[in-house]
Amino acid sequence: MSGPLLAIDGVSAFYGNIQALKTVSLDVNRGEIVTLIGANGAGKSTLMMSVFGNPRAREGTIRFDGRPIAHLSTHHIARLNIAQVPEGRRIFPRMTVFENLQMGAALTGGDTFDADLERVCTLFPRLKERLTQRGGTLSGGEQQMLAIGRALMSRPKLLMLDEPSLGLAPLIVKQIFSTLADLNAEGMTIFLVEQNAFHALKLAHRAYVMVNGAITMTGSGRELLAKPEIRQAYLEGGRH
């Protein structure tokens, strides 16, 4: 299939009468890491959630793998090989690590479960040591690893992550971003929403900047890292 894997074109979305997204256009090509950066409240998470239909795009189109999806229900969209790692991780705290990973594999039919589990445990050896432990007893970094691992168990074509570095120690942040680079090297397409602009732009092939619900700038990760206005707005004292 030619064309972007995810194509967002002229999307506007609202919460009641408040316009959260203003004719946003953004593409994620196969095999890319695309990052969306912006201040807290800029509309980054709203854009990611609009891909899953909540909130719905009131104007514009969203296509995944060439197919319009803006009219589909959230559970139908989840079956299209898109996996989301939400802000705040949202693992199942009372379930064990193993059970959380089973939940991630629910859409695959289970035929590849053992191979997928082995892959996740290779990516995150810490999880392998804690398979029988309840998710809620893990550290914040381990919970983020589990949230990513759970998403990978569904064998997604597109992995979307919302603020994966939020609240984590700098060393763990480096590990998470290193793992994302490894996944991309294996061919995984990644769409990343991040406030940690330094790490996100270093990782990204391409990046977009969002201000007040609108895209204000785009370019390669390196191009945006080099721009004085980006450094001033997002990177001053921010090399985490």
Side-chain angles (χ1 to χ4, degrees), residues 156-177:
K157 286 184 183 175
L158 175 64
L159 179 63
M160 306 203 311
L161 303 103
D162 192 357
E163 304 284 6
S165 74
L166 197 64
L168 300 184
L171 188 62
I172 301 294
V173 171
K174 283 185 178 174
Q175 285 178 5
I176 295 289
F177 277 86

Side-chain angles (χ1 to χ4, degrees), residues 92-229:
F92 302 106
R94 292 173 180 272
M95 290 184 177
T96 64
V97 168
F98 182 78
E99 289 166 341
N100 269 274
L101 294 174
Q102 279 184 312
M103 293 297 286
L107 295 176
T108 65
D111 294 344
T112 58
F113 180 82
D114 290 344
D116 295 337
L117 179 63
E118 188 173 329
R119 179 187 182 215
V120 168
C121 288
T122 302
L123 274 173
F124 299 116
R126 202 88 62 87
L127 295 183
K128 188 174 185 178
E129 299 165 13
R130 289 161 169 69
L131 284 175
T132 59
Q133 208 169 307
R134 282 191 179 190
T137 66
L138 302 179
S139 70
E142 290 163 352
Q143 288 188 20
Q144 186 61 273
M145 293 172 193
L146 179 54
I148 295 170
R150 182 179 64 186
L152 293 174
M153 292 296 290
S154 70
R155 297 204 153 199
K157 286 184 183 175
L158 175 64
L159 179 63
M160 306 203 311
L161 303 103
D162 192 357
E163 304 284 6
S165 74
L166 197 64
L168 300 184
L171 188 62
I172 301 294
V173 171
K174 283 185 178 174
Q175 285 178 5
I176 295 289
F177 277 86
S178 175
T179 300
L180 294 180
D182 291 344
L183 285 168
N184 178 250
E186 293 173 8
M188 177 69 67
T189 305
I190 295 173
F191 178 35
L192 174 67
V193 161
E194 254 299 339
Q195 278 188 71
N196 191 326
F198 179 68
H199 280 297
L201 292 176
K202 276 210 314 183
L203 184 70
H205 297 104
R206 292 187 305 111
Y208 295 81
V209 179
M210 180 171 270
V211 177
N212 295 328
I215 300 293
T216 59
M217 201 179 297
T218 184
S220 73
R222 286 187 179 195
E223 284 169 352
L224 293 189
L225 259 179
K227 283 184 181 289
E229 60 268 46

Side-chain angles (χ1 to χ4, degrees), residues 46-124:
T46 299
L47 181 64
M48 187 166 279
M49 291 190 298
S50 73
V51 173
F52 277 86
N54 183 27
R56 288 233 172 258
R58 197 180 290 184
E59 298 165 0
T61 59
I62 302 173
R63 290 178 177 269
F64 177 70
D65 217 2
R67 174 182 180 178
I69 63 169
H71 64 289
L72 295 178
S73 62
T74 297
H75 70 274
H76 279 118
I77 294 168
R79 291 179 182 276
L80 298 177
N81 291 104
I82 308 174
Q84 185 179 20
V85 180
E87 184 181 344
R89 303 182 265 283
R90 296 192 207 162
I91 59 153
F92 302 106
R94 292 173 180 272
M95 290 184 177
T96 64
V97 168
F98 182 78
E99 289 166 341
N100 269 274
L101 294 174
Q102 279 184 312
M103 293 297 286
L107 295 176
T108 65
D111 294 344
T112 58
F113 180 82
D114 290 344
D116 295 337
L117 179 63
E118 188 173 329
R119 179 187 182 215
V120 168
C121 288
T122 302
L123 274 173
F124 299 116

Side-chain angles (χ1 to χ4, degrees), residues 24-35:
V24 172
S25 295
L26 176 152
D27 287 341
V28 182
N29 297 314
R30 287 165 181 76
E32 274 191 318
I33 299 177
V34 172
T35 289

